[in-house]
Amino acid sequence: MKRNSSPFQVYIACILLISFFLQNCCGEFNNNPLISTQEKQTASIQTHSQLILTPRADIGSLAGQGLKAQGGHAVTFYQEAGELRANVEMNVPERFSKTYEGLLVTLEQGAEVTRLPQLSEQAQERRIQLQLAKGNQPAKVVIYKGAGLVGGMQEGEEKADESIPNECLCPITHELMEEPVIARDGHTYERAAIERWFSMGKRTSPVTGAKIGSTKLIPNYAIRSLIKSLKTHNSSLAKPILGMQTARQQSLSVPSGACFFVSDSVIDVLFSQSIRGDVVALSKLLNLSENYHVHAQYKVGVMCAEGRGIAKNAAKAVEWYEKAAKQGHAVAQSNLGWMYADGRGVAQNYAKAIKWFQKAANQGHASAQYKLGWMYAEGLGVVKDARKAIEWYERAAKQGDASAQSNLGVSYANGWGVAKDARKAIKWFQKAADQGHATSQYNLAWMYADGQGVVKDTRKAVEWFQKAANQGYVKAQYNLGWMYAEGRGVDKDARKAIEWYKKAAKQGHADAQLKLGARYFKGEGIAKDYAKAKEWYEKTADQGHAHAQYNLGYMYEKGLGVAKDYVKAIAWYKQAANQGHAKSQYALGVIYIEGQGVAKDVRKAIEWYEKAANQGHADVQLKLAARYFKGEGIAKDYAKAIEWFQKTANQGHANAQYNLGYVHEKGLGVAKDYVKAIEWYEKAANQEHAKSQYALGVIYESGEGVEKDEKKAIEWYEKAANQGHARAQFSLGVMYGEGEGVEKDERKAVEWYEKAANQGHARAQFKLGWMYGEGRGVSQDYAKAIEWSEKAANQGHARAQYNLGWIYENWKGVAKDYAKAVEWFQKAANQGYARAQYNLARMYDHGQGVVQNYQEAVKWYEKSVGQGNNYAKAYLGRLYYHGFGAEKNLLQASKLIEEAIIHMKSKAEEGCIEAQYIVGWMYQYGLGVMQDHVEAAVWYKKSANTYPAAQKALDELNHAG
């Protein structure tokens, strides 16, 4: 069937073909990448929006309806969970058939959906559009508010609609164009409409959603000519202001002189003039705002928010942002969201903030997408949702929003809402850092410093810290100072470290202030200055920094740079301690233990110790354990002592490990267990803990709980001795002196005794004195023997005191001095040393160095006899026999002498002069042996030359004979 066309229709077709050709020639603009432009933000949130469609009561009228979308695509609407959705069958050749199901339907504000089914298909196509998926944006159906739907259909308008080709209608306003221009997406728009689109920060195609790389526009003369012809042939279209546009103005109560299509660039010029004080420009800008020009409203909002050109007024800013936002201005919507989020000019309302961020984000506004992500990340106005936060961050980040890129980096670095991925974190930090984003530069520096996601590179870390620090980023300044202080990635430089610490400190960075205080306190890289140290510590302490409060407490306690003041010291310590600062809690414990500036209070001290100990302060745990162990200021409790020793030991504290070894070795509060004792001793010993090494030496030497192993004992003793452990040095001296576990070597014995003796070890001093006295391992030297014996004796060493008594009695290296002999015998005897008790008794018996006193002699002989001394038995028996100092008792005398006689004879035969004298006396009086004066004289003579009592007895025997 042949169809005839009018000349006008042929004309239109030709014009359209020319237009299509021009638009296709412009298609190359689509290939340009997205170039993000950043609007100046009136908000300062620097961390994290999702489309939330508000249900409308009239969407039910479309449910079940089949309408036509632009391009002739068949759209069937249905309702699901309160949302309007659609299935679409595309209008393409059969072999290319394509259908979409369950697409979300978005309605432009003011779209009157109840009238859509009543319109012609051509009119429907101008209002309904299928937007295909692009990037992360899913496909969707958009219903725009067409001309006449807002204010009501005008007479003859539907007919006009049907006679207008779609190509003559702007895809944004859906109205007949006045000044058609071609954008880089290849589509034709009303110039004012597309310019307004771009001014709102949008860089996507209004038709396809694809990215637009440039805002350059080219006049479409073909379409302009076509529209002119349409107006000529259709008088209803040839109005000064299109009827459809007039209807919209009427709905907004705008006068006939409406200003919708005043160029946004003109508005920007007026804005620039206004903020510079141009009253005429400001009057024009305000007039345009009052007449509903959306971009003008936004700009006036900015002026009110920032106080530029007009008085700062946050409430007015909200008012103007809201006017623009309600007209769909993305930047205004974003700023309005921030005003609600921050509570500026309006009551804080996170739900409303979310609403406006959402609207702007849905228009592709990167900053709003970032902020919406932040709201989801923080759970402000929405349920906290890390995944949704990531979704919005990614949308903004892909548009080049540095804050979103930064937060994506943080999310990947920490595994928040995504799998932890250091490399992806690096990628996003790098993108933001390259834009000069200081936080990302700082974070990137840390990644390089720690080697996370990249090869560790402290030099690159310094490079990025430097970039952030140069922007005044305080954390970077502090860390840069630390890098210079430690020589990480740069040469160590105390001057530069202090320089950067000062920059950060002046911005109030507490740790930097603390570091500066410490440097002035210690004089590191700068002259020591307690006053400046105190000044910086106070600045930090006033921020509530516990360590600075502790340092101030310490300065007042010790009087460093300030007058000593325990009241102030306690006040500062308490501020820190109440924040849980363990060292301050410990310091308070010490103050109460010692009663410094407060009444001594062990109970309070223990309370503070326990607070510090419960935080894991190892030194305090050890002190607390020791107090429970010894019962100092608290009831003795081995179980609690062991509990605290265990906690400290588990932190690797060698002293606590030693103490656990000790309690298991001795069975204090636990069953004796040498295996556990050795286990704990070895843990401490392997940390070079000398006491534990010595304890292991003792165990292996004695063979208690383990097989005796003198070589292992020597090994452990040497480890401890080489660390200066005096008891281990002494034990080595004994083992070398006796040849136990090593070849006997008295010279080495003397060497180890001397090391221990020089540390004040009394037994070593005694042994060294004995070695010099006997000439063992050294040349005999009575002067040194006396010197070392006196050192030991003055420490209360009983054998050394006895030896000194013997030396002074027997003229070894000193003049004979019975009085000094008595003095030293007395000291040793008072400690229960049996031989000293015997010798002291003998001195009283013979009146040597003291007035003769048989009663004192009997007393000390009895004490020595009580310890089994055979000499004392013999001498005491003699006194009982004669009745000297005690009642005469022959039976007791005989008994004592019989017990001693075998020992006395043996010693006498060995040359002991005392024993020779005693044996002579026994023969003289017939006690324990047959009386025999001749034999008595023989034994007296053996000792008479050196023993005065023997010479006296011999003289008496010869005189009687």
Side-chain angles (χ1 to χ4, degrees), residues 116 194 235 384 464 485 504 569 663 852 936:
L116 273 177
I194 192 66
S235 59
K384 199 169 186 175
W464 285 110
V663 297
Q852 190 176 46

Side-chain angles (χ1 to χ4, degrees), residues 423-661:
R423 290 191 176 186
K424 284 189 177 179
I426 288 285
K427 165 192 166 184
W428 289 112
F429 285 148
Q430 187 77 56
K431 285 179 180 289
D434 288 341
Q435 293 189 63
H437 192 272
T439 303
S440 294
Q441 292 171 337
Y442 168 78
N443 287 336
L444 194 57
W446 264 118
M447 300 295 276
Y448 276 110
D450 286 350
Q452 294 182 37
V454 287
V455 176
K456 188 172 183 176
D457 190 332
T458 52
R459 290 194 176 277
K460 279 199 173 179
V462 168
E463 178 188 328
W464 285 110
F465 278 142
Q466 185 83 53
K467 289 185 178 186
N470 288 339
Q471 292 193 67
Y473 194 76
V474 66
K475 287 184 179 180
Q477 292 172 334
Y478 167 74
N479 280 286
L480 192 56
W482 185 87
M483 298 294 272
Y484 275 110
E486 299 296 319
R488 303 284 181 87
V490 286
D491 292 334
K492 203 168 187 176
D493 191 327
R495 184 186 60 78
K496 282 194 174 179
I498 290 167
E499 177 189 331
W500 285 108
Y501 282 151
K502 279 184 176 178
K503 287 179 185 286
K506 286 175 181 178
Q507 289 197 68
H509 192 282
D511 287 333
Q513 293 170 338
L514 185 67
K515 289 280 187 186
L516 268 182
R519 292 212 164 237
Y520 278 113
F521 185 84
K522 297 173 184 176
E524 292 179 347
I526 199 166
K528 185 181 280 190
D529 189 329
Y530 285 135
K532 284 195 174 179
K534 175 175 172 284
E535 177 188 336
W536 285 112
Y537 284 152
E538 283 178 340
K539 288 178 185 289
T540 320
D542 288 342
Q543 292 189 63
H545 199 290
H547 198 73
Q549 293 166 342
Y550 164 79
N551 287 346
L552 284 170
Y554 183 81
M555 292 182 77
Y556 278 108
E557 181 189 358
K558 305 300 179 184
L560 300 171
V562 291
K564 190 178 280 190
D565 189 331
Y566 285 111
V567 173
K568 285 187 176 179
I570 290 168
W572 282 114
Y573 281 148
K574 280 188 175 178
Q575 283 193 51
N578 289 332
Q579 291 188 68
H581 191 266
K583 287 181 76 174
S584 297
Q585 293 166 339
Y586 171 55
L588 284 170
V590 172
I591 284 174
Y592 279 107
I593 282 286
E594 297 176 358
Q596 296 175 328
V598 290
K600 194 171 183 176
D601 191 330
V602 177
R603 183 185 60 78
K604 276 193 176 179
I606 298 296
E607 279 181 21
W608 285 114
Y609 277 161
E610 286 187 335
K611 286 178 186 288
N614 284 327
Q615 291 191 73
H617 193 292
D619 290 335
V620 185
Q621 290 174 337
L622 192 62
K623 282 188 178 290
L624 198 55
R627 287 197 166 267
Y628 277 114
F629 187 79
K630 298 172 184 175
E632 292 178 347
I634 197 168
K636 186 181 281 190
D637 190 329
Y638 286 134
K640 282 195 174 180
I642 290 168
E643 178 188 336
W644 286 114
F645 281 143
Q646 187 82 51
K647 289 184 178 183
T648 319
N650 289 339
Q651 294 187 61
H653 199 291
N655 277 336
Q657 292 168 339
Y658 164 77
N659 286 328
L660 280 176

Side-chain angles (χ1 to χ4, degrees), residues 83-102:
E83 290 184 339
L84 188 63
R85 293 189 175 271
N87 296 331
V88 178
E89 185 175 347
M90 295 188 70
N91 180 28
V92 293
E94 288 185 12
R95 62 181 181 275
F96 300 111
S97 62
K98 175 72 175 176
T99 59
Y100 291 91
E101 295 184 353

Side-chain angles (χ1 to χ4, degrees), residues 268-311:
D268 292 335
V269 170
L270 290 173
F271 172 78
S272 298
Q273 294 170 339
S274 297
I275 62 176
R276 289 196 298 269
D278 188 325
V279 178
V280 174
L282 177 60
S283 176
K284 289 179 180 179
L285 186 63
L286 291 173
N287 182 55
L288 287 165
S289 302
E290 293 290 350
N291 281 285
Y292 304 93
H293 193 290
V294 63
H295 194 56
Q297 292 171 335
Y298 159 68
K299 286 295 186 179
V300 172
V302 172
M303 292 174 72
C304 291
E306 299 176 5
R308 301 171 69 188
I310 55 178

